[in-house]
Amino acid sequence: MYRFFILSCMALTAALSACSTTKQAPDTSIKTSSVIAPEGRKLGYAGDDAAAPRMTGWHHLAGRTLEVSSLADLKLQNKEVILSFDDGPIPGRTDKVLAILDQFGVKGAFMMVGEMAEMHPALARKVAEDGNTIGSHTYDHANLSLLDFDAAMAEVIKGELAVTKATGTDVSFFRFPYLAESHRLRAAIAMRDMVVMDVDIDSKDYFTFTPASVTQRTMDLLHKRGRGIILMHDIHKRTATMLPTLLSELEAEGYKVVTLRFKKTQAPSNLVASADFVTTR
């Protein structure tokens, strides 16, 4: 009887232990996600659901703040990069990216899908309140090249309004899903006082590569260009896994992360004077 009691206690303890370490099932609500377990370099923590590694010491990765009112203003100097993240926000991933950026003292440009911002408004607002650049990425990540012009613009505007409402801030940047664009759409978006964000360096973190290979690919492309806008996605666990290593390598090689800000254009003073003259006649 005593032996049976001991065995029962051991079984109960094992069952409780198993429950406490069971990982959550991967999200299936995001069409563009492709989740894999972290592999590659050791980043000071274990498991893809573990807390982000805590960086110690002072970092010198933060660069200048660049104010732009059009794509023509977006000119980076040698060894300057912009960190951009598409498709979020999503709890458990975007917040990890935010924590890592904060630890390195840098900001990113988050191109949010309107539908995702609607689903997670508190997280979307936190991205903005942390001082990151806010952009939109349509409402539901539609391929605009497959839509007629009016439908495509409706998708753009719906996404912009959703992100604006969720973040509580103006949305002044935009990126085409799948980078599928047209000259007419670019011009129409520019008329809405939005800057289209292009991509210079595609990390391809959306493929089932290991975090280490994503980092290596990104650095290899950066070495060839010397500067540029880096495309990542805050909906993937591997992105948060590789990000500390990527930022550490950028810092070690003397790169600077540029913070992007939108600068509203003002009407020329002669036009304002002419308007005043007309209204007083």
Side-chain angles (χ1 to χ4, degrees), residues 189-209:
I189 292 169
M191 290 293 291
R192 296 185 61 80
D193 283 335
M194 298 177 73
V195 177
V196 175
M197 286 277 285
D198 289 327
V199 174
D200 298 317
I201 299 160
D202 188 349
S203 70
K204 293 196 182 298
D205 58 348
Y206 45 87
F207 287 152
T208 53
F209 295 147

Side-chain angles (χ1 to χ4, degrees), residues 5-17:
F5 174 76
I6 295 297
L7 291 175
S8 298
C9 290
M10 291 175 64
L12 177 60
T13 301
L16 292 174
S17 175

